[in-house]
Amino acid sequence: MGGGKPQMPGSSLPKLAAGPVGQQIHSIYKGRLAQFASNGQYSSQNLQAAMYEGRASGDESVKLQVYSPPNQTRPTFEEATSHDFTDTHVGASFGPSWSTHWIRISLKVPQQLQRKEHLEFHWDADNEGLIWTEDGEPLQGLTGGGERIEWVLPDSFRDGESHTFYIEMACNVMFGNAIGDIIQPPNPNRYFQLKLADIVAVNLEARALFVDFWIIGDAAREFPEDSWEEHQALQICNEIMDTFINGRGRQDSILQGREIARKYIGNVDSAKVYDSEKVPHVYAIGHCHIDTSWLWPWAETKRKIARSWSNQCDLMDRYPEHRFTCSQAQQYKWLETLYPKLFDRVKSKIKEGTFQTIGGSWVEHDTNLPSGESLVRQFLYGQRYFESRFGERCKTFWLPDTFGYSSQLPQLCRLAGMGRFFTQKLSWNNINVFPHTTFSWVSLDGSQVLCHMAPDETYTAEAHFGDVNRSISQHKSLDQDNTGLLVFGKGDGGGGPTFEMLEKLRRCRGLSDKTGRLPRVKMGDSVDDYFAMLEKKAEDGTEFVTWYGELYLELHRGTYTSQANNKRNNRQSEIILHDIEYLATVATLKNSNYLYPKEEIVDIWEDVLLCQFHDTLPGSCIEMVYRDSDELYAKVFKAGEKLLQGALSALELNSTTSHKSELKAVNTLPWPRAEIAKVPDSQKYALVSGGPGISTVKTLSGISKSTASIGQLEDGVFQLSNEHFGVTVENGTITSLVDLFEDRELIPKGQKANQLVIFDDKPLYWQAWDVEVYHTRSRQELPPSKSYIVEKGPHMVSLCTEHQISEDSWIKTTISLAASVEGQPSYIAMSSEVEWHETMKFLKVEFPVDISNTEASYETQYGIVRRPTHYNTSWDMAKFEVCCHRWADLSEAGYGVSILNDSKYGFATAGNLMRLSLLRAPKAPDAHADMGRHHIRYAILPHSGPLDHRTVRTARNFNHPFKLFHGPSAPNSSASLLNSIQLTGSPALVLDAIKRGEDDEDVSRGELPTRRGRSIILRIYESLGGKARGNICVDEDVLEVKKIQKVNLLEDDGEDVVFEKGKCRIELRAFEVATFRLQL
C-alpha cells in the first residue's frame, strides 16, 4: 500500500502569465470598424483598395459619341440612333434639366482584363440612364451619383473586338431636378458632368467580404451591448481587420476574412441560405415604388419604368430567390406600348412567378378626393388590365404612399375581388401613433379586409440589418402574429432593389441561422403568400383586432385644397363621364345605328384615373405635371363633349342655334327635380322640372307665384328673401339667416357667416402637402371694399361684394337667392371669382351656425363620415382639417345646416363654426401653385329635421346644374327610354351610375371574353347609414329585360334576383354599394 498523496490533474493554462492583457475598450474597438470599408482617409489601405483588379478607360477601350435631341424631346431608340453622333468624353457636361442625350459607346476590353473573373462597365454622370443593345433592346437602368452605376459585361465582350451599345441619358436625378432640398421647384438649368466611363475588373471575394463585414458590423453596432451576440460580432469584425492588415490586403487575407465571417453568418454565397427549415419571421419582398408623377412629369415616369423594371429582370437572372412586386396597370400599359421587348421579358418573369403583379388598380390613386364611381373604375380597369395581359386578377390592394384611406375602401376591395390591403403611410402621423400592424379594417357597411402595415414603416427599405430587426421590434400586433412584411428597394423615383440589398438579406438570414437574435428573414415568397398565411391563422382562430372607418392620415391635410383648378377639373370630368354613360346607354337602346362608344369612354376614364394618382390630384407635384394635366383634361372635355353630342343626336335631342326651336333640358340625375335656371343667351329665367330624362322648361314671366326680393336697408346692409328665408347681408357677410317656416335664426348673435378669412400657411416642411394645427392662430378677416345689387328679382336676386386681398389679389363674391320652388329645398348660393397671387396664405370662408353637436357629418364616397367638433383628445384634435365631398353638415335634433360645394374638399368644424377651405398658396414643389384666376361655388342649405336625402340630392343637383338648350321636340321614344329605369322606395337609395356591360358582344374591345347579348349595369348605394328597401322599376313597354343579377364591381356573374312584372325588389344594408346587371 503506497503512502504518497494522489496526483492532481494538470491544467492547460500556463503556470506563468506571458504578459499583461488589457480589456478591450468597447467603444474604441467598435469605432475602429469604420476604418475597414469606408472611402475616407484610409481607403488606399483598407478593403476599398482591393475591390478592383484592373481598370480601363479612354478612347482605346471606351470610345464615346453623343447625339443630343433638341427642345427636351425624348426620341425613341430608332429615331435617336438614326442621327449623326459626335465625339464626347469623360468630363463633358450635359444639360439642361430634362433634356435627353444618347451616348454611343464602342467598348473594347483590353487584353490584360480579358481573363479576369468578373468585368463590369461603370458609368456615372450623376443622372439617370438606360443601357440599350445595338439592336434596340433595353437592358438595364443606371441611377448615378455612385448608386447603380455598374453593368455586368457579357462574356462575349472578352474577345478583344469592339462592341457597341447605347446609353439614353436623362438629365435628371431620381428625385427630379431640385438642387438640395428635393421638394423645391426644379432648377431648369441643371447640367451633369460625366465622371466615369470605365471597364472594371471586380474582385468578387473582396466585394463579398465588404457585405459580410457590413452586416456583422451592424450586429456589433445594433445588438444590445449586454448581449453575447453583440460582443461576438465585434470580435469577429476586429479579427477580420487584423487578418487583412497582417496579410497586407492580399487575396489570401481576403479569403481568410471570409472564413472568419462564416463563423458568425455561415455560408451565404447562394440562395441555398434560405433552404433551412427554421421558421422565418420576416418575409422580404422586392418593390419599386414609382410615383406616376411627382417631381418629374409623366414623360419621365415612362422611362423610369423601363429603367427600373429592366434592372429587376436582370437581378432575377442572377438571384433565384429574388421576388419583385409592382402595382399600377397604367405603368404596365406604358411599358407594353413603348417598350414591347422589355414588356415581353417582364411578362415571362410574371409567368415564372418572380415578377409579381399586385394592387388591382389603374394607378396608386388618392382615396380621399375621387368620387365613389372613380374608385370603382380604378379597380375595374386595373383588374381588367391585369387579367387580360397576365391571366390573373390581383388579390391584394397595394397602396403604400397615399395620404389617408377612405372608409369605403374595404367594401370596394371585396367587391373587386381583393380581401387584403397593404400600406404603411399612417406611420407618418405627426400627432398620434397608429396602434396596429396587422388588423381587420372594417368599412362603413361592415365589409372587412385583412390589413398589414409594414412594421419597418417604409416601402423603400434598404434591406439593412436594422430593417430586418425593426420588422419585428416595431411590430404592434405581436399578440396576434409575430411576422412582418419587409418591402425593400429604391423607390418614389424608381430603381427598386439592388444587388447589394439581396446580398445583405442573404447575410441577415445566415446570421439568424448561425448565431441568432436577429429575426429570421425569408426570400422567395410573394405578398399573396404572406397574406394567405395570415388568413390561415385567422381561419385557425386568431382574432385580429379591428379598426372601423377611415384610416385618417394625421399629415398632408393641405392636399384637400392645393391645386384647386386641378381638383375642379377632376370633379367636372367625373360629372361628364356620368352623363355620357347614361345617355350613350339609352342611345344604344333607341338607335340600332348608334354604337356605344366603349373605346372612347374607356380612354377618357383612363386619362381621368391617371390624373387621380396620389400626388397629382392632391396637388403635390411640380408645375410641369399640372401643365400636362391641364392639357389632358382639355382633351377629356373636348372628347367628352363630342360623345355627349353624339348620344344626344342619336336620341334626337341635339341642340340647334335657332331660337325658334323649343327650349328644353335633360335631367341626368336619377330623381325628379325642379329649379330656377337662367335661359341661355338671355337675361330671362325658366322653371325647369321633371326627369329623370326629359324635363319641361317654362320661361318665367315677371309675375310669378313665388318670388325673391332684395333691398338695401342702409349703407352696406341688404335684405334678401324668398318664401323660405330672410337673409341680412352686411358688408358681404351674412349677419342674419332666418328660416321663415321654422321662425328660427341660424346665425349666432354678433357673428358673421360667409366671412372670408385668410391665414398664414407655413407648415413644418411639406408645403403643398401640409397645413398645420397652428395656422388658425393667424386668422385675419378680409374687409370688403364695396357691395352692390346685381339682380333684383323676381326670380333671382343677387348681391356682389368685392374684397381686395392684397395689391395683386382680389375676390368678388355674389350671394344669390332664387325664388322658392314648391317641394324643393331652398339654399343661399355663393359664387366667387378670385384673382389669387399670394405667398403661403390659406383662404377659407366661415359659417358660424346656431347648432350644437359634438359630431359633424361629411359626405364621402358612397356614405357619410362623422367626425368630432371638439378637441377632447389628441385623436380628435388631429382632425382639425378633414376631407369632404359635395357637402358637410352640422345638425342637432330637429334642425341642421349643410354647406354645399362644387369642387372643394377641405373642411373644418370646430364647435359651431364651419369652415370651407378655398385656396392655398404653397411655393414648393410648384412655385406657382394656384396662382391666377379661380371660380368657386358653394351654398348654405338649412334644413328642418335631421340630415337626410334632401342634402344628398340637393348637393348633387348643385353639382349637376340643368343645361338648357334649344332643339326640336323630344321624340316620345327618347323620353320613354330616358325614364325607362327608375329606382323607387327609400329616398336613401341612390342610383349612382348607368352604363353598358363591359363585355357585351356589341361593345367589347376584345381584351376579355365577350358576353352574349346586351346588358345595362346599375350602381346603387345606400347613402344615409341604415337598411333601405326599394325597387328597380323597368318600363316593359319600352325595355325588355330578361333577368336581373346582383354582380360585383368587375361584373362577374352573380346571383339572380327576383324580377317580375317590371319590378325587382332590393334591400341594401347601411352604406352598401350594390351593382346590378339588367340582361336585355
Side-chain angles (χ1 to χ4, degrees), residues 186-197:
N187 183 332
N189 294 304
R190 190 171 180 181
Y191 282 77
F192 299 86
Q193 185 179 51
L194 177 57
K195 299 187 300 188
L196 184 66

Side-chain angles (χ1 to χ4, degrees), residues 497-538:
T498 63
F499 81 88
E500 293 98 335
M501 295 178 186
L502 296 167
E503 293 285 354
K504 285 186 287 182
L505 288 173
R506 284 181 176 182
R507 284 151 180 82
C508 286
R509 175 57 183 259
L511 188 158
S512 300
D513 286 349
K514 183 73 174 178
T515 300
R517 195 170 193 96
L518 183 67
R520 187 170 290 105
V521 65
K522 183 181 181 183
M523 289 282 290
D525 285 348
S526 68
V527 175
D528 285 332
D529 291 334
Y530 178 72
F531 272 102
M533 179 183 67
L534 295 178
E535 288 175 346
K536 183 63 168 61
K537 291 180 179 179

Side-chain angles (χ1 to χ4, degrees), residues 175-318:
F175 290 89
N177 269 314
I179 296 178
D181 183 355
I182 66 167
I183 72 163
Q184 295 307 308
N187 183 332
N189 294 304
R190 190 171 180 181
Y191 282 77
F192 299 86
Q193 185 179 51
L194 177 57
K195 299 187 300 188
L196 184 66
D198 291 358
I199 302 169
V200 179
V202 179
N203 183 340
L204 291 180
E205 289 294 341
R207 179 180 277 178
L209 181 59
F210 178 88
V211 187
D212 293 345
F213 191 86
W214 186 349
I215 294 301
I216 301 171
D218 279 349
R221 286 181 287 268
E222 298 190 35
F223 275 156
E225 283 198 6
D226 61 357
S227 67
W228 68 265
E229 294 93 345
E230 187 266 357
H231 286 266
Q232 185 180 2
L234 186 58
Q235 298 308 305
I236 292 286
C237 286
N238 276 276
E239 186 179 354
I240 291 171
M241 292 181 70
D242 293 340
T243 300
F244 182 84
I245 293 168
N246 293 333
R248 299 182 180 275
R250 294 188 299 266
Q251 189 70 6
D252 60 342
S253 69
I254 292 172
L255 295 173
Q256 290 176 42
R258 295 220 64 209
E259 284 299 321
I260 295 167
R262 289 188 182 100
K263 294 190 293 185
Y264 199 82
I265 60 175
N267 189 337
V268 294
D269 289 343
S270 75
K272 292 181 180 179
V273 69
Y274 296 107
D275 289 348
S276 76
E277 297 298 321
K278 296 181 179 179
V279 177
H281 295 95
V282 178
Y283 293 79
I285 187 75
H287 178 54
C288 173
H289 183 70
I290 304 177
D291 284 317
T292 299
S293 59
W294 182 30
L295 305 177
W296 50 87
W298 289 321
E300 198 56 45
T301 304
K302 296 169 185 177
R303 302 201 294 187
K304 284 176 176 286
I305 296 163
R307 292 192 285 259
S308 302
W309 294 5
S310 61
N311 287 337
Q312 301 314 307
C313 291
D314 173 65
L315 287 175
M316 289 167 196
D317 293 337
R318 294 156 56 191

